[in-house]
Amino acid sequence: MPKRTFNRLDDDKKERVMRAAIEEFQAHGFEQAKIEVIAQNAGVAKGSIYQYFDDKKDLFLYSVTWGLNYFMKAIDRQTPLKDMDVYDYFLSGNRERFELLKKEPLLVAFSMDIVSGKYGSLTKEANSELNRIGEEYELKLIANGKKRGTIRNDLDDSILLLFFQGVTEKFTATIIAKTKEFEGELTEEQFNEMESLLKSMVALLKQGMER
């Protein structure tokens, strides 16, 4: 976790530090990544990084959570979480989300490298952080659905979460991989292809989760 010194920085400076760290980790891996390069690219002194984080591992693990939180906050600005259930989440604001993925190839590549195991012994810890944040978000969507009467309430949230994750994992990976292949502006044909995949996924979710 970052130190109080980092938390006191303005948002722009925090983002510069995190993007510089992610760029260095993604390009060179954890072992070969250099704190001095991160500091230089972020426009801060090398010693400042150690005022923000205990060590390189601490910085790396926070980079993992920062990247995921960045995407979730951007999505929440488009469609606030408090207004969404599981189905809304995948059927609202899709064009903006696909454009966001295209605009952030570094963050997408970093996340995919974590999932693929690029970071060796740190992979388990990194994926644990990703899963923790993701599950908190997904459980909120499930809770919203139960309150709205769109999700069955005869099953425990943990069981619904397992089903949700089983259905969405491969669909999400496929959509991210396809989005990376698209060049330039998202065409109507490409958007329709992605939206069709999401609608198919939601149809499967409804079969198991809908009240």
Side-chain angles (χ1 to χ4, degrees):
M1 294 294 292
K3 297 180 181 179
R4 190 174 301 174
T5 313
F6 179 82
N7 291 328
R8 287 173 177 166
L9 299 177
D10 62 63
D11 289 342
D12 287 344
K13 193 167 186 177
K14 287 179 184 176
E15 184 166 341
R16 285 205 314 272
V17 172
M18 298 320 303
R19 285 186 179 276
I22 289 171
E23 183 177 9
E24 179 69 3
F25 288 130
Q26 203 278 325
H28 302 290
F30 176 76
E31 297 296 340
Q32 299 302 317
K34 298 184 182 302
I35 291 294
E36 55 264 34
V37 173
I38 294 172
Q40 181 179 1
N41 291 339
V44 300
K46 178 181 176 181
S48 296
I49 300 295
Y50 292 106
Q51 291 178 348
Y52 303 153
F53 299 91
D54 285 334
D55 50 32
K56 188 165 70 169
K57 178 182 175 181
D58 197 31
L59 173 58
F60 172 79
L61 291 175
Y62 186 71
S63 298
V64 172
T65 61
W66 185 89
L68 180 56
N69 278 317
Y70 176 87
F71 280 120
M72 292 198 305
K73 287 177 182 177
I75 291 170
D76 197 47
R77 283 195 294 270
Q78 297 165 12
T79 314
L81 175 60
K82 63 182 176 62
D83 298 329
M84 291 190 290
D85 62 12
V86 168
Y87 318 125
D88 290 337
Y89 178 79
F90 290 109
L91 296 177
S92 303
N94 286 331
R95 189 180 295 276
E96 291 81 3
R97 290 186 207 178
F98 295 144
E99 290 292 349
L100 177 63
L101 289 175
K102 289 184 64 180
K103 290 176 182 176
E104 296 289 353
L106 174 65
L107 300 187
V108 170
F110 182 58
S111 297
M112 293 184 73
D113 282 347
I114 292 166
V115 174
S116 69
K118 173 181 174 180
Y119 297 98
S121 61
L122 285 175
T123 295
K124 185 176 180 179
E125 283 187 72
N127 276 314
S128 177
E129 284 296 294
L130 289 178
N131 292 336
R132 179 184 61 79
I133 295 171
E135 286 185 2
E136 286 178 3
Y137 199 86
E138 291 155 1
L139 285 169
K140 288 178 183 177
L141 293 173
I142 290 170
N144 286 352
K146 284 189 171 182
K147 288 178 184 177
R148 293 174 57 175
T150 59
I151 291 180
R152 58 193 296 178
N153 57 11
D154 61 324
L155 292 176
D156 187 78
D157 287 1
S158 61
I159 300 300
L160 291 167
L161 179 64
L162 285 174
F163 178 78
F164 175 88
Q165 292 173 335
V167 172
T168 60
E169 181 180 348
K170 292 297 183 182
F171 272 95
T172 302
T174 298
I175 288 169
I176 290 175
K178 283 183 174 292
T179 304
K180 286 180 66 180
E181 295 173 2
F182 299 153
E183 296 180 1
E185 294 294 321
L186 190 70
T187 68
E188 199 64 28
E189 181 180 0
Q190 290 168 342
F191 173 73
N192 290 337
E193 181 184 356
M194 297 295 96
E195 191 161 58
S196 177
L197 278 171
L198 284 174
K199 287 180 177 179
S200 296
M201 184 178 72
V202 169
L204 289 173
L205 286 173
K206 285 187 174 184
Q207 287 183 29
M209 299 179 72
E210 193 167 32
R211 186 171 179 179

